[in-house]
Amino acid sequence: MNEKIMASESLIIKRLFNLDSNAYVEGHLDVKSKELIGLTCSLVLRCDDCVKYHLGKCKEIGLSKEQVHEAMGVATLVGGTIVVPHLRRAFEYWEELQHV
Amino acid sequence: MNEKIMASESLIIKRLFNLDSNAYVEGHLDVKSKELIGLTCSLVLRCDDCVKYHLGKCKEIGLSKEQVHEAMGVATLVGGTIVVPHLRRAFEYWEELQHV
Amino acid sequence: MNEKIMASESLIIKRLFNLDSNAYVEGHLDVKSKELIGLTCSLVLRCDDCVKYHLGKCKEIGLSKEQVHEAMGVATLVGGTIVVPHLRRAFEYWEELQHV
Amino acid sequence: MNEKIMASESLIIKRLFNLDSNAYVEGHLDVKSKELIGLTCSLVLRCDDCVKYHLGKCKEIGLSKEQVHEAMGVATLVGGTIVVPHLRRAFEYWEELQHV
Amino acid sequence: MNEKIMASESLIIKRLFNLDSNAYVEGHLDVKSKELIGLTCSLVLRCDDCVKYHLGKCKEIGLSKEQVHEAMGVATLVGGTIVVPHLRRAFEYWEELQHV
Amino acid sequence: MNEKIMASESLIIKRLFNLDSNAYVEGHLDVKSKELIGLTCSLVLRCDDCVKYHLGKCKEIGLSKEQVHEAMGVATLVGGTIVVPHLRRAFEYWEELQHV
């Protein structure tokens, strides 16, 4: 579906996608800090797909379970118990990632 | 389910439904402008069911793929990349609508 | 999954869960008022899982269909028609609860 | 300003205002339960003006400080620490209401 | 402050600003439709500054009071009564714009 | 006002405040990562007071302007242009902090 979106006539969408693919590379902040930002912002905004995407990245770049749990703990405190069902799915998905 | 909701004792709910069914008819604004408002507000508020509903209406009243994509591009810019998973599903659903 | 979350290293998450399990007991407000708060806040924040959880509790403590519908009507007015798909699922779930 | 809004050509706005003015009267739920719903939904959605409005009503209908604090505690748990600045302003406003 | 933001080292921010300044020009949709999208998305997301910005643009490009009211009516229905304080400020600001 | 809140009868509120004051200390993640999480979650949820609080902390613990800008850039991309007015105020506040 990403290809279809990139094939769209909409310039804004294409440029947003380009921006997004460059946003999490190392810069003044390292990749781990940036992925934790992506993960926790996705969690407080309660987007399961976004959380999963960033959990995959977090695993890839070597963040530990303890670090990811701690980050998600802060996000749940900020976002409230309304975040908990998403937290649950994030925990499940993180476990799945260990068996890939 | 709508019938069940309309059969509810709740006057507020019934009146909200009545309001909603009249909100998108031609008035000082034409139907296309109003459906684009309904579509993009649904997208920034990230409600897949609402987006689908308005995509169906957009197709019905003759909005083109390019117009719908452009409107959703603006909404994605306003609402951020957190909107992207919903945008993806919207693209998919728009394609499905072409085969109905 | 709750057990896994409670077994997490994250102290914040454990404490939030403890807080949550005590938040809806009788205090200065009775249990019915508190569950209605939990239900309607979940509805305006559009969290289906949370709505279901509180609907189950509402049924358990003896709130009537009319009371639950009325509370959800107020919440839908506050939160707007973007809440309606969640309201629909809430109506469906409430019916299911009657057959358990 | 309400008069100007009611004088608007927009039928939807007028009807929403009418709905709103009837939403909090006694029905299947009593007035206190309904105002607590209005207060807490306003708090989790982080609308200071709405919170103030409902705090005024809560005082008027005889809810105690302890009850209002407890309700706002539940809302803050649901909505997270992002709600805290609004909670602070709500506490301040409740105090002001005592001196009116 | 925009100059300071544009002078920032953050490439993402600069590019988002560039995207934004091109998003509302005529394309597959005309300028009026796009500004109405910007206005109503800002209203349902309850951002006063954004609403004001788009109201200014709406006036500039010749949208009538009736059209703007109608668009904001739809947005208020979608977003609920929690939007009303922002709607009030939008009405006030639109009036101010008539005297500039 | 914090003292008044802590003096409240509401146990939930007191415990949330205690949780909050311990959430950003070093653990599996260092203090900088945690403050960046607090800052960016506050920004995407568009809470000016929370953003200011975390900007103050970010300065205190030695995060550079470039790092803070970059983090806020990612948050603005995730949250969309609706975040921009808050970003502007954040930039202004960060400058003020340099003169304290």
Side-chain angles (χ1 to χ4, degrees), chain E residues 15-85:
Chain E
R15 285 181 186 159
L16 277 174
F17 271 65
N18 283 333
L19 264 180
D20 193 50
S21 59
N22 293 312
Y24 298 96
V25 298
E26 181 158 348
H28 300 291
L29 297 170
D30 61 22
V31 171
K32 288 186 180 177
S33 296
K34 287 180 131 178
E35 280 303 329
L36 289 172
I37 289 171
L39 173 66
T40 52
C41 287
S42 299
L43 195 57
V44 294
L45 291 172
R46 299 191 281 130
C47 172
D48 287 332
D49 290 319
C50 314
V51 167
K52 280 186 173 185
Y53 173 80
H54 287 292
L55 282 176
K57 286 284 176 189
C58 285
K59 177 136 201 311
E60 224 174 283
I61 61 177
L63 282 158
S64 73
K65 177 183 168 180
E66 285 71 25
Q67 290 175 317
V68 165
H69 279 200
E70 197 169 273
M72 296 200 298
V74 175
T76 307
L77 180 64
V78 173
T81 57
I82 204 80
V83 170
V84 167

Side-chain angles (χ1 to χ4, degrees), chain F residues 16-85:
Chain F
L16 276 174
F17 271 64
N18 283 333
L19 263 181
D20 193 50
S21 59
N22 293 313
Y24 298 96
V25 298
E26 181 158 350
H28 300 292
L29 296 170
D30 61 22
V31 171
K32 288 186 180 179
S33 296
K34 286 180 132 178
E35 279 303 330
L36 289 172
I37 289 170
L39 173 66
T40 52
C41 287
S42 298
L43 195 56
V44 294
L45 291 172
R46 300 190 281 130
C47 171
D48 287 333
D49 290 320
C50 315
V51 167
K52 280 186 174 185
Y53 173 81
H54 287 292
L55 282 177
K57 286 284 176 189
C58 286
K59 176 135 204 309
E60 224 175 283
I61 62 178
L63 282 158
S64 72
K65 177 183 167 180
E66 285 72 24
Q67 289 174 318
V68 165
H69 279 199
E70 197 170 273
M72 296 200 298
V74 175
T76 307
L77 180 64
V78 172
T81 56
I82 204 79
V83 169
V84 167

Side-chain angles (χ1 to χ4, degrees), chain C residues 3 9 21 30 35 37 56 74-75 81 96:
Chain C
E3 303 86 69
E9 292 300 310
S21 60
D30 61 22
E35 280 304 329
I37 289 171
V74 174
T81 56
E96 284 176 39

Side-chain angles (χ1 to χ4, degrees), chain A residues 45-63:
Chain A
L45 291 172
R46 299 191 281 129
C47 172
D48 286 332
D49 291 319
C50 314
V51 166
K52 280 185 174 185
Y53 173 80
H54 287 291
L55 282 175
K57 287 283 176 189
C58 286
K59 176 136 202 310
E60 224 175 283
I61 62 177
L63 282 158

Side-chain angles (χ1 to χ4, degrees), chain D residues 1-2 4 8 45 49, chain E residues 46 69 88-89 92 95:
Chain D
M1 186 42 52
N2 270 4
K4 273 173 194 161
S8 158
L45 291 172
D49 291 319
Chain E
R46 299 191 281 130
H69 279 200
R88 247 184 225 120
R89 288 189 281 272
E92 280 172 28
E95 286 213 4

